[in-house]
Each structure stands twice: as structure tokens, then as C-alpha cells.
Amino acid sequence: MMDSRENRGANRRKLARINTQMRVDIFRHRLIGGWRFVTRAKAMDYNRYGVGLTSPVSLSQGTRLKLDLYAPGMILRQVSAEVVSCHRAGQAYRIGLRTYSSLRELADDARQHQIRYLAGMEEQLFPQG
């Protein structure tokens, strides 16, 4: 029988991630001044549920962000995300982001969020060899 920690870990990743090397500009909302640029990072992998990236700055769990993702041939601007994990990885931080706020948002076809545009296009955007 799995304990609750093992059970949570087993459900952590809902869908396999697609490896990538996309530039990401990160923005955070400030009380005065609205959305402000925080840093430039590199997306290491993604799927329709989230993005894993490396960043030169640490971000607190629960922080709401906007991302500009620079994929080959397209730029996805103002993608909403929330920090779910942040761990030091050498001189940088490995950050896990969730790109939806509720399961209802994922199921709602009328409001498809932008990260879905990348899911299913990996063969065109990131050809193998």
C-alpha cells in the first residue's frame, strides 16, 4: 500500500513532457505598475498542463505569472501560469509551472489557453534529428 506522499508523486505528472529549449520572458504582477518583467528563463520541457524551466532567480510557490514563450516560428504572449515548485539546480533554479487554474478551465473548449497550441505541434516545432 502506498503512503500519501507516494500517491501524490504518482499523480504529479498527468502527461509526458516534451523536451524543448524555448526562451521564456517572465512577468509578475505588482500592486503599483501592473505586470512587470522579472527575468528571462529557458523552458526545458512542457505539456498542456505546465512548463518546466530554469531561471536565474527564485520564485515562490503560488506566485502567479505571465509568460512570453518563444517557440520556433511563433511567440505565445501573456500565457498565465502559477509556480508549483522551485528548487536550486547549480547556479540556477528549476521551476515547475502550472498553466491552468482549475480542471474546469482545461475542460472548457471555449476558453482554450495558449499552451495547448504547442501541445500536438512538437513534430513541426522541434523536429528530431
Side-chain angles (χ1 to χ4, degrees):
M1 182 166 165
M2 289 197 289
D3 71 13
S4 63
R5 189 176 73 229
E6 289 174 318
N7 194 19
R8 281 193 311 269
N11 293 326
R12 189 176 137 252
R13 186 133 315 145
K14 296 172 182 66
L15 187 65
R17 293 265 175 111
I18 299 156
N19 291 327
T20 186
Q21 293 286 315
M22 284 187 290
R23 182 181 116 200
V24 180
D25 289 342
I26 300 175
F27 301 84
R28 182 172 37 204
H29 194 267
R30 308 257 187 214
L31 290 176
I32 299 175
W35 291 98
R36 296 287 191 191
F37 176 79
V38 175
T39 191
R40 180 163 288 159
K42 185 189 310 183
M44 305 305 290
D45 52 47
Y46 73 94
N47 63 25
R48 66 190 290 183
Y49 302 107
V51 178
L53 54 85
T54 57
S55 167
V57 299
S58 174
L59 296 168
S60 300
Q61 186 174 355
T63 302
R64 299 291 302 165
L65 306 170
K66 295 282 186 179
L67 311 173
D68 287 352
L69 300 168
Y70 294 82
M74 77 169 93
I75 301 171
L76 298 178
R77 296 203 185 274
Q78 300 297 303
V79 175
S80 296
E82 179 181 353
V83 177
V84 293
S85 65
C86 181
H87 305 282
R88 193 158 197 48
Q91 298 296 315
Y93 295 88
R94 173 71 177 175
I95 299 174
L97 303 175
R98 179 174 52 213
T99 56
Y100 64 93
S101 55
S102 69
L103 293 176
R104 171 179 271 176
E105 181 181 335
L106 282 176
D108 187 2
D109 287 336
R111 282 192 59 216
Q112 288 189 6
H113 55 85
Q114 295 163 309
I115 196 74
R116 284 190 180 180
Y117 292 118
L118 289 180
M121 294 182 64
E122 61 274 4
E123 288 181 16
Q124 291 85 7
L125 295 174
F126 309 105
Q128 302 294 320

